[in-house]
């Protein structure tokens, strides 16, 4: 392990960066992990493209994939930030469900789309804040804390909706769900905006860098004077708000607020995407771009399995296996490359 | 010590022949040849970084030599892993023995060798019987029960347990790595009895320590390592402590440091009556341009004191003032804001973000220098980090290099760089040269002198006495969580400090109070 410095010195002395081939430089810019994800994605596309050449590449289907991953994408990129900070948020599915209900109720009572959306996201952010407070002030393990609130928030969603689905009759929300601006579905545009914000946050700001520091080694971060708890509380609130936004997208898509929405493994898919994307569950490692690639892989896989008529139950098995496989591969890589 | 006379005649249990080992830029071992014989205690001494630990790890099979080889039982051996060394009866007892805290003594001792009743159930009676026999051999049968939880044992018992575990599997060579660093005098004496008994049984013992009086008391021969080379092997009865120290250091220590007298400014750090759970009623001050050393044995409370001053450990009583202004310390963030910097003892677990680059590590505490409205300016960031890499002569291929890939010395420079970027008024350095090579050490000494000359107040914790004596204007000696002496450089000597640190001073009223 301590042989590394000599190795590195030798490398830098040997080849100047300019002399490397274009492909190598491209891989380096992207990161080797993201590059392997791209290859995996290409393979998946090739497989499903070959199995259903009649449907898979139709614009309609591509758009379907895009619509489907918009919600997962928002959840997964926020989850990436949570995992990088050394935490985990498994309550996002419940917050999402809660958000759809809140938005549906708020549209009904206020009649204002903007107010309803803001209300849904604000309530979700507060739920995230509750997670953050339980984890930091209560010193509860993040998995346990959010496992508890996952059940509790779901319960609240049922209580305030009386267990009923609430229909939304609102043209503006319908436009968000079905409409297009410049030929691109609005949901995908929302996803791209979220990704752009998160990408800049994690890559180009002091806040982002501090999140990596806190997740990488909380003791080092504390001894460097970073307010760890404040960051953690903020991150869970952000995760909640993102789940609220995802709930808004879902409510817009389905035209209803449903207390059950997001209960079908939304958190599982979000965590899987983040881990596939290179997040270490020990924290400090992972990128928004990687998370997005993880989302694309899951999106294509889901879509492909539907197109090739894989029964739903088998799809669930496949997703569970995928999460575990992603962790196993990440663990293996960490051990090999330190 | 009747075994002394015929020690020369005994056959070697293990021969090290021309072993060299390199880690990156550091030549940890350079052509070392050494024999360890049956029934002798060979002491291995040398400064930190002289290569003692590397040699032990090679003997144990953790590292493999780049050149040279090992011979045991008259045949060359290649140890690819500790298991290979264990198979030949070679065992190393580390400073912090591996025990499983939630298992009992008996279970820890016989792990992997449990006998069963009816092929299924753990034979507790047999386990207890075998454990009692083992405890009896060490005279511990009355003190310890086989079913005591191992985690409840102090360091001395843990060490003895580790030795028992080694004996159980038939040991021919036992290496003890700084075994007494966390033991009391009584415990040390007991350990020596055990070592003596093993020697009489014909076990070869390698004893690593930097406590000279222990080495003189227990060893038959002394092997001195310096900068990776074996510089001398002597019979203990033929040399004096002073000669060994001279061999270890290889040069008069004073040459390492800049002896020029510094001019002292106003008091920058003043600590009065600080008490935490682990340190008691601590008062002292450090002036601008002054280097104050904290001496003491492991566990004397030096790092704990540093953590209290830095706001990492909460003070129950007392106050800290920086440049005359009282500081409320609720967290390290408060201390940093007040102008205190702290480079902790364990670089890898306390100071460095190993997954991040050199640049990110250096700029961690100076967000305002590298960003505007939270957005990082790549240019500012590179100029801040680049200037410090240059000033500290950090050997790194680029600013984007992962800090984990640097050598220990360069990692330490990165930690120092982080604080230099911040320009604190007070800088606390906990073991700043631990585990780094001699060249980087000298650079860090020079830097400390430079910072003092620039008017910083420095508090240096070190377990290397020569380092403290050479670097510091004043020395505070700690024992049992208290400061027991405040010595000017001229009054301090290695023996005096050691004496005080061992707690022999209390009756003599050496304690000098500082306002």
């Amino acid at each position: 392990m301590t042989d590394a410095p000599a190795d590195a010195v030798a490398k830098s002395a040997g080849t100047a960066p300019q002399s490397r081939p274009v492909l190598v430089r491209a891989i380096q810019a992207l990161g080797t992990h993201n590059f392997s994800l791209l290859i995996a994605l290409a393979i998946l596309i090739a497989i499903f493209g070959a199995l259903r050449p009649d449907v898979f590449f139709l614009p309609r289907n591509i758009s379907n994939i895009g619509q489907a991953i918009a919600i997962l994408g928002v959840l997964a990129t926020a989850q990436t930030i949570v995992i990088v900070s050394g935490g985990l948020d498994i309550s996002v599915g419940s917050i999402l469900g809660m958000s759809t209900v809140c938005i549906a109720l708020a549209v009904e009572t206020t009649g204002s789309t903007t107010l309803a959306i803001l209300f849904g996201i604000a309530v979700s952010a507060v739920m995230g804040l509750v997670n953050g407070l339980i984890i930091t002030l209560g010193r509860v393990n993040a998995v346990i804390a959010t496992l508890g609130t996952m059940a509790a928030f779901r319960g609240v969603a049922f209580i305030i909706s009386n267990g009923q689905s609430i229909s939304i009759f609102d043209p503006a929300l319908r436009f968000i769900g079905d409409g297009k601006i410049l030929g691109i579905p609005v949901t995908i545009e929302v996803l791209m905006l979220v990704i752009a914000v998160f990408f800049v946050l994690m890559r180009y700001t002091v806040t982002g860098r501090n999140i990596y520091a806190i997740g990488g080694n909380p003791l080092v971060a504390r001894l460097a004077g970073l307010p760890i708890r404040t960051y953690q509380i903020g991150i869970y609130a952000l995760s909640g708000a993102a789940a609220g936004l995802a709930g808004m997208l879902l409510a817009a898509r389905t035209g209803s607020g449903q207390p059950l929405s997001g209960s079908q493994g939304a958190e599982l898919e979000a965590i899987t995407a983040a881990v596939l994307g290179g997040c270490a569950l020990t924290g400090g490692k992972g990128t928004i771009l990687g998370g997005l690639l993880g989302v694309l892989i899951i999106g294509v896989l889901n879509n492909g399995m539907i197109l090739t008529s894989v029964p739903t139950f088998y799809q669930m098995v496949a997703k569970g296996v995928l999460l575990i496989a992603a962790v196993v591969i990440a663990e293996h890589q960490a051990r090999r490359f330190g | 010590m009747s075994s002394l006379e015929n020690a020369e005649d005994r056959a070697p249990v293990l021969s090290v022949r021309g072993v060299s080992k390199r880690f990156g830029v550091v030549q940890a071992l350079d052509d070392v040849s050494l024999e360890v014989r049956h029934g002798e205690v060979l002491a291995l001494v040398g400064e930190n970084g002289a290569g003692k630990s590397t040699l032990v790890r090679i003997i144990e099979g953790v590292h493999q030599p780049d050149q040279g080889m090992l011979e045991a039982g008259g045949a060359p051996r290649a140890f690819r892993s500790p298991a290979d060394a264990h198979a030949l009866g070679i065992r190393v007892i580390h400073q912090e023995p591996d025990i499983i805290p939630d298992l009992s003594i008996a279970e820890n001792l016989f792990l992997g060798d449990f006998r069963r009743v009816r092929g299924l159930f753990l034979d507790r009676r047999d386990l207890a019987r075998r454990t009692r026999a083992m405890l009896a051999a060490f005279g511990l049968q009355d003190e310890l029960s086989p079913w005591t939880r191992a985690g409840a044992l102090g360091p001395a018992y843990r060490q003895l347990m580790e030795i028992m575990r080694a004996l159980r599997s038939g040991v021919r060579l036992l290496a003890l790595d700084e075994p007494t660093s966390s033991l009391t005098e009584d415990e040390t004496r007991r350990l020596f009895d055990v070592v003596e008994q093993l020697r009489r049984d014909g076990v070869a013992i390698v004893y690593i320590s930097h406590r000279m009086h222990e080495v003189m008391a227990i060893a038959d021969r002394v092997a001195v390592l310096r900068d990776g080379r074996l510089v001398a092997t002597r019979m203990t009865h033929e040399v004096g402590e002073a000669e060994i120290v001279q061999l270890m250091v290889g040069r008069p220590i004073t040459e390492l440091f800049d002896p020029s007298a510094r001019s002292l400014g106003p008091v920058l750090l003043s600590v009065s009556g600080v008490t935490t759970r682990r340190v008691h009623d601590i008062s002292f001050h450090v002036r601008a341009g002054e280097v104050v050393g904290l001496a003491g044995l492991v566990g004397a409370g030096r790092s704990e004191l540093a953590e209290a001053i830095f706001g990492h450990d909460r003070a129950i009583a007392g106050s800290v003032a920086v440049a005359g202004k009282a500081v409320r310390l609720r967290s390290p963030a408060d201390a940093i804001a007040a102008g205190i910097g702290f480079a902790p003892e364990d670089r890898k677990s306390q100071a460095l973000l190993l997954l991040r680059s050199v640049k990110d590590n250096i700029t961690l505490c100076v967000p305002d220098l590298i960003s505007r409205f939270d957005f990082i300016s790549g240019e500012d960031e590179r100029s801040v980090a680049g200037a410090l890499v240059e000033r500290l002569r950090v050997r790194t291929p680029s600013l984007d290099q992962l800090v984990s890939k640097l050598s220990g010395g360069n990692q330490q420079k990165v930690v120092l760089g982080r604080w230099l970027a911040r320009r604190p008024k007070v800088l606390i350095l906990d073991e700043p040269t631990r585990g780094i090579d001699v060249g980087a050490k000298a650079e860090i000494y020079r830097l400390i002198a430079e910072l003092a000359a620039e008017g910083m107040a420095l508090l240096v914790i070190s377990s290397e006495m020569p380092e403290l004596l050479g670097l510091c204007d004043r020395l505070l000696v700690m024992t049992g969580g208290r400061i027991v002496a405040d010595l000017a450089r001229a009054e301090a000597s290695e023996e005096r400090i050691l004496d005080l640190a061992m707690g022999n001073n209390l009756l003599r009223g050496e304690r000098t109070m500082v306002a």
Side-chain angles (χ1 to χ4, degrees):
Chain A
M1 59 184 172
T2 0
D3 293 33
D7 202 359
V9 169
K11 249 188 238 158
S12 74
T15 46
Q18 288 82 5
S19 67
R20 290 180 183 146
V22 181
L23 182 65
V24 175
R25 263 190 286 163
I27 294 173
Q28 279 178 337
L30 203 60
T32 43
H33 185 90
N34 287 349
F35 188 73
S36 21
L37 287 179
L38 268 182
I39 291 174
L41 187 60
I43 292 173
L44 274 181
I45 291 173
I47 291 174
F48 291 123
L51 288 174
R52 293 302 305 269
D54 49 329
V55 195
F56 190 78
F57 293 110
L58 289 181
R60 169 111 195 102
N61 189 49
I62 305 283
S63 168
N64 265 345
I65 296 178
Q67 296 269 22
I69 65 166
I71 291 162
L72 173 59
V74 172
L75 290 179
T77 42
Q79 190 70 246
T80 298
I81 299 177
V82 176
I83 298 179
V84 165
S85 80
L88 198 70
D89 187 351
I90 51 183
S91 69
V92 288
S94 296
I95 297 181
L96 178 147
M98 180 80 183
S99 165
T100 65
V101 170
C102 286
I103 289 171
L105 287 174
V107 168
E108 217 170 56
T109 47
T110 66
S112 156
T113 318
T114 318
L115 273 183
I117 292 174
L118 286 179
F119 177 67
I121 294 176
V123 168
S124 303
V126 169
M127 286 188 279
L129 191 72
V130 169
N131 280 334
L133 291 173
I134 295 173
I135 290 162
T136 53
L137 300 186
R139 293 169 197 274
V140 179
N141 173 290
V143 175
I144 299 302
T146 56
L147 186 64
T149 55
M150 174 171 84
F153 293 158
R154 179 72 64 197
V156 175
F158 277 114
I159 293 167
I160 59 173
S161 64
N162 266 326
Q164 304 291 315
S165 168
I166 306 159
S167 295
I168 299 172
F169 304 102
D170 184 84
L173 266 176
R174 165 148 297 198
F175 178 70
I176 293 174
D178 290 336
K180 291 181 179 180
I181 298 176
L182 302 172
I184 300 169
V186 178
T187 47
I188 296 181
E189 285 166 335
V190 171
L191 172 65
M192 293 196 308
L193 186 71
V194 167
I195 286 172
V197 170
F198 285 173
F199 178 78
V200 169
L201 172 77
M202 294 305 277
R203 188 126 177 199
Y204 296 111
T205 69
V206 171
T207 306
R209 204 160 280 182
N210 287 348
I211 292 172
Y212 279 103
I214 286 168
N217 187 332
L219 177 60
V220 169
R222 177 176 156 83
L223 289 175
L226 302 184
I228 296 177
R229 287 182 170 185
T230 313
Y231 269 91
Q232 283 174 332
I233 292 170
I235 287 164
Y236 283 99
L238 178 77
S239 173
L245 183 69
M248 185 276 280
L249 293 178
L250 187 65
R253 285 275 291 155
T254 59
S256 63
Q258 299 183 8
L260 253 177
S261 47
S263 66
Q264 305 266 320
E267 63 287 317
L268 171 81
E269 289 194 347
I271 294 168
T272 306
V275 172
L276 262 180
C279 280
L281 289 173
T282 43
K285 212 171 139 240
T287 59
I288 297 297
L289 230 45
L292 175 63
L293 286 170
V295 168
L296 285 171
I297 287 176
I298 291 176
V300 169
L301 194 66
N302 278 343
N303 178 264
M305 288 196 294
I306 293 168
L307 291 185
T308 52
S309 320
V310 176
T312 318
F313 301 155
Y314 289 87
Q315 291 183 25
M316 290 167 73
V317 174
K319 281 186 222 168
V321 170
L322 183 65
L323 171 61
I324 292 166
V327 175
V328 169
I329 292 168
E331 192 63 29
H332 180 73
Q333 284 182 329
R335 217 172 295 163
R336 258 182 67 198
F337 305 115
Chain B
M1 302 203 178
S2 58
S3 58
L4 249 182
E5 279 70 33
N6 50 6
E8 284 294 341
D9 313 328
R10 290 169 190 270
V13 174
L14 183 81
S15 305
V16 176
R17 298 217 191 281
V19 162
S20 298
K21 180 75 185 174
R22 214 180 155 79
F23 295 110
V25 291
V26 181
Q27 185 76 44
L29 285 178
D30 188 0
D31 194 19
V32 170
S33 296
L34 196 63
E35 288 182 343
V36 195
R37 305 182 186 112
H38 282 289
E40 79 161 344
V41 178
L42 173 69
L44 206 53
V45 301
E47 289 188 289
N48 284 353
K52 294 169 295 185
S53 305
T54 308
L55 184 55
V56 168
R57 286 193 196 114
I58 284 176
I59 290 174
E60 197 192 7
V62 174
H63 293 326
Q64 284 69 45
D66 298 335
Q67 277 154 31
M69 58 164 193
L70 301 178
E71 264 181 39
R77 307 279 180 180
F79 297 158
R80 273 177 302 271
S81 73
D84 291 345
H86 293 175
L88 286 169
I90 295 170
R91 289 276 173 169
V92 177
I93 309 298
H94 292 283
Q95 280 178 49
E96 271 144 36
D98 298 319
I99 58 148
I100 305 171
D102 285 321
L103 292 187
S104 66
I105 295 178
E107 287 161 328
N108 265 287
L109 281 180
F110 291 95
L111 199 62
D113 182 27
F114 293 149
R115 289 175 196 162
R116 291 166 195 210
V117 197
R118 269 168 269 147
L120 182 63
F121 303 105
L122 175 68
D123 189 345
R124 281 173 64 94
R125 206 178 298 161
D126 166 73
L127 190 57
R129 188 182 47 74
R130 286 193 288 162
T131 306
R132 268 193 216 99
M134 197 133 240
L135 290 173
F138 282 73
L140 296 171
Q141 69 277 27
D142 300 329
E143 291 165 57
L144 299 178
S145 141
W147 304 115
T148 305
R149 211 174 64 89
L153 300 177
Y157 286 126
R158 291 183 188 200
Q159 218 147 34
L160 292 175
M161 254 180 59
E162 187 82 358
I163 294 175
M164 287 182 215
R165 205 151 59 173
L167 293 182
R168 181 173 70 76
S169 50
V171 69
R172 288 157 54 81
L173 185 149
L174 188 70
L176 300 153
D177 190 358
E178 298 282 359
T180 58
S181 58
S182 43
L183 302 194
T184 65
E185 262 178 85
D186 270 355
E187 292 166 341
T188 302
R189 221 167 288 137
R190 166 176 281 156
L191 178 75
F192 280 14
D193 289 343
V194 170
V195 169
E196 188 59 43
Q197 191 186 326
L198 291 173
R199 186 216 331 245
R200 272 199 301 265
D201 294 344
V203 177
I205 289 155
V206 176
Y207 189 90
I208 298 162
S209 179
H210 52 226
R211 297 196 179 161
M212 276 312 129
H213 58 280
E214 286 179 8
V215 167
M216 300 308 285
I218 198 165
D220 302 315
R221 286 194 303 150
V222 189
V224 184
L225 284 170
R226 188 205 314 151
D227 302 347
R229 283 165 214 260
L230 182 71
V231 291
T233 313
R234 299 284 160 84
M235 300 303 289
T236 320
H237 61 168
E238 287 166 1
V239 290
E241 259 181 62
E243 192 185 340
I244 295 176
V245 171
Q246 183 71 38
L247 285 167
M248 276 167 54
V249 179
R251 58 200 167 268
I253 294 142
T254 44
E255 278 177 21
L256 275 177
F257 307 102
D258 177 11
S260 70
R262 289 179 275 260
S263 61
L264 302 186
V267 171
L268 284 189
L269 174 70
S270 126
V271 176
S272 48
V274 163
T275 300
T276 68
R277 275 168 307 153
R278 288 171 301 178
V279 299
H280 312 285
D281 194 21
I282 300 287
S283 299
F284 68 93
H285 65 250
V286 187
R287 292 178 177 282
E290 190 175 32
V291 183
V292 172
L294 268 181
L297 302 180
V298 173
R302 296 169 303 166
S303 298
E304 288 79 2
L305 171 57
E307 284 170 6
I309 298 172
F310 195 61
H312 184 46
D313 192 9
R314 201 170 282 248
I316 300 161
S319 63
V320 173
V322 176
K325 248 193 255 158
V327 187
R328 249 196 93 192
L329 294 171
R330 286 155 306 184
S331 74
D334 292 334
I336 293 169
I340 304 177
F342 174 44
E345 184 178 9
D346 188 343
R347 283 188 295 280
K348 289 193 175 172
S349 74
Q350 299 177 301
L352 291 170
L353 296 168
L354 295 171
L355 294 168
R356 308 298 291 177
S357 65
V358 168
K359 171 187 63 136
D360 288 4
N361 271 284
I362 290 180
T363 57
L364 184 62
C365 291
V366 286
D368 36 325
L369 290 187
I370 59 160
S371 69
R372 212 164 291 163
F373 304 117
D374 208 48
F375 286 91
I376 295 167
S377 145
E379 208 177 303
D380 292 350
E381 174 186 47
R382 295 195 159 269
S383 75
V384 169
L388 284 159
V389 161
E390 204 164 306
R391 171 168 183 195
L392 297 170
R393 282 185 280 170
V394 181
R395 269 178 281 171
T396 173
S398 87
L399 293 177
D400 297 311
Q401 175 77 334
L402 281 183
V403 80
S404 56
K405 306 260 182 193
L406 302 186
S407 71
N410 285 303
Q411 288 184 342
Q412 183 67 359
K413 288 182 194 172
V414 168
V415 174
L416 293 177
R418 177 187 299 168
W419 292 113
L420 295 203
R422 182 84 207 177
R423 305 189 155 278
K425 298 185 182 81
V426 178
L427 183 57
I428 306 171
L429 304 173
D430 194 351
E431 302 286 0
T433 65
R434 171 168 289 176
I436 69 181
D437 59 290
V438 181
K441 237 183 222 187
E443 288 181 58
I444 285 172
Y445 294 151
R446 202 174 311 124
L447 181 73
I448 291 174
E450 256 175 53
L451 293 176
E454 286 168 20
M456 204 178 271
L458 288 119
L459 185 62
V460 179
I461 299 171
S462 174
S463 295
E464 287 185 60
M465 221 68 97
E467 179 170 295
L468 280 181
L469 288 168
L471 270 179
C472 301
D473 301 300
R474 240 167 1 106
L475 278 169
L476 307 174
V477 186
M478 284 190 78
T479 178
R482 291 171 194 280
I483 291 180
V484 291
D486 181 346
L487 309 170
R489 187 209 289 245
E491 315 170 72
S493 69
E494 220 162 303
E495 296 73 39
R496 179 123 188 249
I497 294 169
L498 204 60
D499 207 32
L500 289 160
M502 298 281 223
N504 299 344
N505 58 294
L506 292 172
L507 301 176
R508 292 182 226 156
E510 294 235 22
R511 170 153 187 162
T512 352
M513 283 296 298
V514 191

